[in-house]
Amino acid sequence: MSGPFADLGRILMVGCGNMGGAMLRRWLDQGLDPAQVTVISPSGRAVPGGVAVINAYDPAAVGTVSTLLLAMKPQQLSAVHAAGLASVRAELLVSILAGVDSATLSSLWPGATVIRAMPNLPVAIGKGVVALHSPAEIDDRARRVAAWMQPLGLVEWIESEGLFDLVTALAGSGPSFTYRFIEALAAAGTALGLPSDQSARLATATVEGAGLLAAEAAETPAVLADQVASPGGSTRAGLNVLDNDAALVSLLTRTLQASENRNREMAAAARA
Ligand SMILES: NC(=O)C1=CN([C@@H]2O[C@H](COP(=O)(O)OP(=O)(O)OC[C@H]3O[C@@H](n4cnc5c(N)ncnc54)[C@H](OP(=O)(O)O)[C@@H]3O)[C@@H](O)[C@H]2O)C=CC1
Ligand SMILES: O=C(O)[C@@H]1CCC=N1
């Protein structure tokens, strides 16, 4: 096999819910061999594309694991470790757990190369973000992880682990905040008289188009905003509301701060 999935060997994926499932589906769409992956899911719920699923760790069923991918909730880490996973000697340990720091992961799986990955939900269509952090020098194993994540969207290394909780808030949680914005735009349209289904369609398509243009254009979002807002026109009247006392920036700063704080709390709980 070649491409981004070469050299990952057998992958054991712990949890395959909203986020893990989106990643796995995209990888399978992009050529990952389902025979390479085993998923642990306590409910035994079906997982995408013919991938083997077991409801508890069973060394005989799993065999030798090269890559261990943690994709359950941070609060499940100690239970997962205690339920046999401590004995897995994978060369690569990749964790998408919010908060949980690399020192905690290294102490639980000594000897593994630990990489933290923070994906977001649009990885489902290859338009996600995957932030990566390696506590050690970025070596060939770490580069292998970056190549593995490439089909999911934008891959960015975050050098300082101290910034990872903030990156998690901005990019990991960011789609949720953006969906709220779409809902709020639609709700405002409805409150002012539009039929709700039409307002929802208009809001979703407007955010889709604006996002795609922002990603492709040479201009910054600030310049694009000005291209919409004619001097003395109606957009400027609306922007004045968002910009007054930096209302939107202030709201989003508090939003990211709350999420970052919660990531720190989850990291502390995982260390305890
Ligand atoms: N949702 C998102 O957008 C993002 C999530 N993350 C991170 O991804 C991780 C998963 O989140 P998300 O997918 O939303 O959560 P979900 O609740 O959707 O999925 C959790 C998964 O963990 C499994 N699980 C539960 N208990 C255990 C256990 N004891 N052993 C093995 N597997 C277990 C569940 O299996 P079953 O269904 O069988 O119970 C399920 O497959 C979290 O750590 C989160 O921080 C990171 C970035 C974005
Ligand atoms: O809500 C959570 O805890 C995770 C972190 C990023 C997205 N979901």
Side-chain angles (χ1 to χ4, degrees), residues 34-78:
Q36 207 176 333
V37 187
T38 302
V39 166
I40 302 180
S41 163
S43 66
R45 181 191 324 180
V47 295
V51 167
V53 57
I54 53 179
N55 57 17
Y57 178 59
D58 172 1
V62 173
T64 303
V65 175
S66 301
T67 303
L68 180 60
L69 173 59
L70 301 181
M72 68 296 166
K73 298 283 192 196
Q75 293 84 349
Q76 290 150 354
L77 179 63
S78 61

Side-chain angles (χ1 to χ4, degrees), residues 50-124:
V51 167
V53 57
I54 53 179
N55 57 17
Y57 178 59
D58 172 1
V62 173
T64 303
V65 175
S66 301
T67 303
L68 180 60
L69 173 59
L70 301 181
M72 68 296 166
K73 298 283 192 196
Q75 293 84 349
Q76 290 150 354
L77 179 63
S78 61
V80 159
H81 188 257
L85 267 292
S87 65
V88 172
R89 293 279 164 266
E91 59 179 36
L92 260 177
L93 171 66
V94 179
S95 164
I96 68 165
L97 277 51
V100 181
D101 55 48
S102 54
T104 300
L105 296 164
S106 293
S107 71
L108 294 174
W109 282 277
T113 294
V114 169
I115 303 288
R116 289 183 66 185
M118 188 44 57
N120 67 14
L121 208 53
V123 301

